[in-house]
Each structure stands twice: as structure tokens, then as C-alpha cells.
Amino acid sequence: MHLITVVVAQEDFEAALVELRGDVYRHFFRARRLVIGEVLRLVDGKGRARRATVSEISGSSAIVQTAELLPSNEPPLRLEILVPVPRPPRLSWLVEKCTELGVAAIRLINCERAGRTIGSGALERLRRVAKSAVEQSNRATVPEISGIHQWTELRHMLSHCQGSLFMVPSGSDRGVDEAFESISL
């Protein structure tokens, strides 16, 4: 049986009764027209999932009663992606698809040919895109989306990736080879 996934705050995840309101309420109870008795899958965005049943619906909120824990549906391997910052529409698409595929973290790198910046508002919007993709793909973890890292941080970030697989396109920016050579794989 396929359950609808809803991301809730960690403190709500622990509660016996959870109130859904705002955008979540509008999407699931106005647009999708969920009804009392419907069974949902609540996730905390950090890898935990539990069953919940809609017990009450009002004009602006709904109450769900939580039950047993469920499998997280997370991939067995942790995958992080380090990527130059693409144009904003492509960045939203990238975050959505990487989340759906099970990526645990998306690290944006400021590169010579992709010298873009991203504001805090845009970063929050990307996190909302990731949250929606978690609900769409029935995951339990919202990937970490970090702000823009400078090229000089690459060596430090890669030093924690022992035993990892790296894919580097040919003709990449200067310094990629040096950064990867500094890591013993």
C-alpha cells in the first residue's frame, strides 16, 4: 500500500497528535482532498517515518494521530553531490531530481566558469523544493543544501570522503586534479 508522505517538524513527529496547517493543510486537504480515516506517512526530514491517521479536519487545519514507526525508504549508501552553481531554474530542477534519487547532501561550489551567488531567500526556496521532492518520492530525509563553497574549500571537503567514488568531467576547471590527487582513495 502506497501512503502519502508528509514532512513535519521534529517536535511534531514525536507527538501523539499532530496539527497540519498552512501550505501543508491547503495542499493535502484542499487540493488533494484527503478525508478523515486516511492513513499518511509522517517523516521528520532526518530519516524517521511513522504511520498517522487523519482524525479531524476543520476549515484551516487537520489533526492526525500518530502510530508505529515505518521504514525510512532511504538508500543504503550516503551520496553527496558537489556541483558548480547553475542558473536558478536549473538549480531548482537539480535539487528536485537529486532529492528524488536519494542524494543526502547538495554542496554548491563557486567555480571559475560558474561564478554565481545565491541569496538566503533562494536557499530557503531550494530547501522547500527539496522538502516537496521528499514528499513526492516517499523518502524520510530532506537533503542538506549548503550555501556556496569557495573553490579553496574543495580540498577540505573531499578529505572527509575516504572510500568514495568521484566523477570528474574531462576539461574541468583548473585545480580539480590537484584537489583529487591530495586524497588517498
Side-chain angles (χ1 to χ4, degrees), residues 29-147:
F29 296 93
R30 292 291 178 229
R32 293 190 68 174
R33 299 182 185 267
L34 297 184
V35 296
I36 292 176
E38 190 101 35
V39 178
L40 305 173
R41 182 174 177 269
L42 295 185
V43 298
D44 68 352
K46 300 293 182 189
R48 297 182 303 164
R50 70 181 327 148
R51 183 181 310 274
T53 305
V54 178
S55 60
E56 185 181 322
I57 302 173
S58 70
S60 62
S61 68
I63 305 292
V64 296
Q65 187 171 13
T66 61
E68 75 275 6
L69 293 175
L70 296 172
S72 68
N73 296 344
E74 290 300 308
L77 298 175
R78 179 176 169 81
L79 177 63
E80 294 188 20
I81 183 169
L82 287 73
V83 61
V85 184
R87 293 184 186 116
R90 290 183 177 165
L91 182 54
S92 292
W93 179 87
L94 176 84
V95 167
E96 178 185 352
K97 297 309 170 195
C98 285
T99 301
E100 291 171 355
L101 289 170
V103 170
I106 302 166
R107 312 259 184 241
L108 304 173
I109 307 292
N110 190 8
C111 294
E112 183 178 310
R113 295 184 194 141
R116 295 182 177 88
T117 61
I118 184 167
S120 61
L123 202 54
E124 282 307 310
R125 190 179 78 66
L126 291 173
R127 290 183 178 123
R128 287 192 305 271
V129 167
K131 180 182 165 193
S132 293
V134 163
E135 292 175 343
Q136 189 72 20
S137 61
N138 292 316
R139 289 186 60 191
T141 303
V142 176
E144 176 188 344
I145 302 172
S146 62

Side-chain angles (χ1 to χ4, degrees), residues 166-178:
F166 297 99
M167 295 185 294
V168 181
S170 62
S172 54
D173 284 343
R174 292 187 311 249
V176 170
D177 294 335
E178 294 84 21

